[in-house]
Amino acid sequence: MSAPEVVQVPQFRFEGLMIQRIIVHRIYTKVAGKEPLDPKTSNHLVKLAQPAIDALQLRITKALGNKSHGIEMSIHDVTAESFFQTAASMLHADEASFIKTSKELAINLHKAQLTTNTPGGMLAIIAGRVGDDALPFIAAIKAETQDGFKANEKDDQVDMEYIAELLLTDTQRFYKIGLLTEHISKPAGAEGYQAGNYRSFLFDHLMTATETRPAAAYFYRVFLGMDIQASSKKLTEDFFEYTRDFIKTAPLDDNAKLDLHEALRTELRSQEATISAGGFGAKHLPAELRKEYEDYMTAKGFPANAINKDTDYIHAKLRKRRRFVFTNGVWISTPPEKTDDFLQIEPADDAGITVVKIKGAFQEQQ
């Protein structure tokens, strides 16, 4: 069965995320020379107090939301045993079916990890509603455990209690989230559920690091059956062109605009795997222009979520400007392309005077 073309809606908001069901299974670490242990699966839903539910809802919203590195993905695998078909069947399932099917996902993640050295951890399968239209979602969270200490206060003493396994702390980096949400509700047909009626998202701390896209592939490609959107090259080009146009017309002096143009090229040349309008604005734009910039990008139809960065279409435009520095502190900056056509520098004479010929008329002083 081949995956149908996914029709993407321009924006998605994760605010208002509400958790309705949680079940947790343990995935064991593979030990060299020993037979892999099957997952330890649960038979009952997790019951959490409301403060704990609120904290978990906030973790997921922050990870996948518009100011984060959450990435919208394409649904790659739509076969009968895929995460997509399995998760789609769970969206409207009763409790018994939800629990049973979640165990299948734990087994699938276990199998996906067998060819890697990935540590074990906990797999939480979460169902709920999300976004302005309270759309149903299924999220799979793979979290590695940490240890830590808990403070216990008594009348005349403060003690510490050691906790061997902590999950999803506010500062924890080692977790991954795959989320599937239904934006058009239709029953499964002869070939199962149709990917065009769903949207899929990924958060992975490895996707935001400098070295790492292949390291996360077992989770998003093998287990989730998702892939980086085919439009990443075009979206990256759009980000560059739209941001450059905004900078040109921004109410800033020429030196500030020059700095922002260089910051834009630097961000796109960096080793970070993702980029977003919100992230660029917060890092580089004056506070008074950030909302205007984000509104401008939204009006252009650019996603509010982070996108996977692929600079193939704009590679030549991202090269650094060349700078020629002279002994008296004077420097000349030129565009990165075709410098020899723009500028000719003759060797200095005995008096230390250098003749510079520029193919172009003087325009302004900055």
Side-chain angles (χ1 to χ4, degrees):
M1 188 187 306
S2 61
E5 181 180 354
V6 179
V7 179
Q8 297 293 357
V9 183
Q11 304 291 346
F12 192 88
R13 290 171 52 85
F14 283 91
E15 286 72 13
L17 184 141
M18 178 178 62
I19 293 174
Q20 296 171 317
R21 289 174 176 168
I22 307 172
I23 191 165
V24 178
H25 309 294
R26 179 184 285 277
I27 310 296
Y28 291 102
T29 301
K30 184 179 66 174
V31 179
K34 294 186 177 181
E35 190 71 19
L37 294 174
D38 291 336
K40 181 176 182 179
T41 57
S42 302
N43 294 317
H44 304 283
L45 299 179
V46 174
K47 304 296 183 183
L48 293 177
Q50 192 57 48
I53 291 286
D54 292 342
L56 185 54
Q57 289 172 168
L58 182 60
R59 297 281 193 280
I60 300 173
T61 300
K62 287 174 64 176
L64 290 165
N66 293 347
K67 304 296 184 181
S68 79
H69 289 275
I71 304 170
E72 183 156 10
M73 307 288 282
S74 296
I75 298 171
H76 170 73
D77 185 358
V78 297
T79 56
E81 304 300 323
S82 65
F83 173 85
F84 166 65
Q85 296 290 349
T86 304
S89 73
M90 298 172 69
L91 287 169
H92 303 289
D94 59 32
E95 183 173 310
S97 297
F98 178 87
I99 293 171
K100 179 182 178 181
T101 310
S102 74
K103 296 180 182 182
E104 297 174 12
L105 294 179
I107 293 170
N108 289 345
L109 178 58
H110 162 71
K111 291 178 179 177
Q113 292 190 185
L114 286 179
T115 58
T116 74
N117 294 319
T118 302
M122 303 297 182
L123 174 66
I125 305 297
I126 298 174
R129 299 273 175 171
V130 65
D132 297 334
D133 298 322
L135 300 173
F137 77 86
I138 293 289
I141 304 179
K142 160 70 187 305
E144 298 173 26
T145 58
Q146 298 175 301
D147 61 355
F149 293 88
K150 174 187 176 184
N152 293 322
E153 296 188 30
K154 300 178 181 179
D155 292 341
D156 59 351
Q157 181 67 27
V158 178
D159 291 324
M160 291 197 308
E161 175 186 354
Y162 176 69
I163 301 176
E165 292 187 312
L166 293 171
L167 286 175
L168 296 172
T169 65
D170 192 36
T171 58
Q172 186 180 16
R173 294 177 59 247
F174 299 105
Y175 65 95
K176 315 174 194 298
I177 303 174
L179 184 142
L180 181 77
T181 184
E182 176 188 66
H183 68 89
I184 299 175
S185 182
K186 288 186 178 181
E191 294 189 341
Y193 296 93
Q194 298 301 305
N197 298 329
Y198 298 81
R199 298 179 74 176
S200 56
F201 298 85
L202 171 74
F203 170 84
D204 191 325
H205 74 282
L206 293 178
M207 298 292 286
T208 67
T210 58
E211 78 274 16
T212 53
R213 198 175 308 153
Y218 86 91
F219 183 76
Y220 76 79
R221 186 166 180 83
V222 180
F223 171 59
L224 296 178
M226 298 180 185
D227 210 346
I228 303 300
Q229 288 192 358
S231 58
S232 293
K233 292 183 178 66
K234 183 62 170 65
L235 285 173
T236 304
E237 181 183 39
D238 288 345
F239 177 87
F240 177 74
E241 297 295 349
Y242 296 158
T243 301
R244 190 163 66 166
D245 289 345
F246 179 85
I247 293 170
K248 289 178 182 176
T249 58
L252 298 167
D253 61 43
D254 290 331
N255 285 335
K257 289 182 180 181
L258 185 63
D259 289 342
L260 283 173
H261 282 300
E262 188 55 38
L264 174 62
R265 286 194 294 271
T266 300
E267 285 290 329
L268 287 167
R269 288 195 307 264
S270 78
Q271 295 301 305
E272 289 294 324
T274 63
I275 195 164
S276 68
F280 180 83
K283 188 173 181 179
H284 297 291
L285 290 176
E288 64 273 13
L289 287 181
R290 292 170 190 168
K291 186 177 186 305
E292 182 181 344
Y293 168 64
E294 291 183 37
D295 290 346
Y296 172 84
M297 296 295 277
T298 298
K300 288 287 190 180
F302 190 81
N305 300 92
I307 63 164
N308 186 68
K309 188 169 62 178
D310 189 330
T311 60
D312 275 5
Y313 290 172
I314 54 172
H315 179 75
K317 298 178 181 179
L318 299 182
R319 292 161 57 194
K320 291 183 179 180
R321 292 181 65 89
R322 297 182 65 181
R323 179 179 291 194
F324 299 85
V325 181
F326 298 86
T327 55
N328 61 355
V330 172
W331 57 269
I332 299 173
S333 175
T334 68
E337 67 277 3
K338 299 181 179 178
T339 296
D340 293 340
D341 294 341
F342 300 153
L343 187 71
Q344 180 181 343
I345 302 176
E346 298 180 357
D349 60 18
D350 294 339
I353 297 175
T354 301
V355 176
V356 178
K357 296 180 179 179
I358 298 173
K359 186 178 181 180
F362 178 80
Q363 183 176 358
E364 61 181 326
Q365 177 180 333
Q366 298 183 353

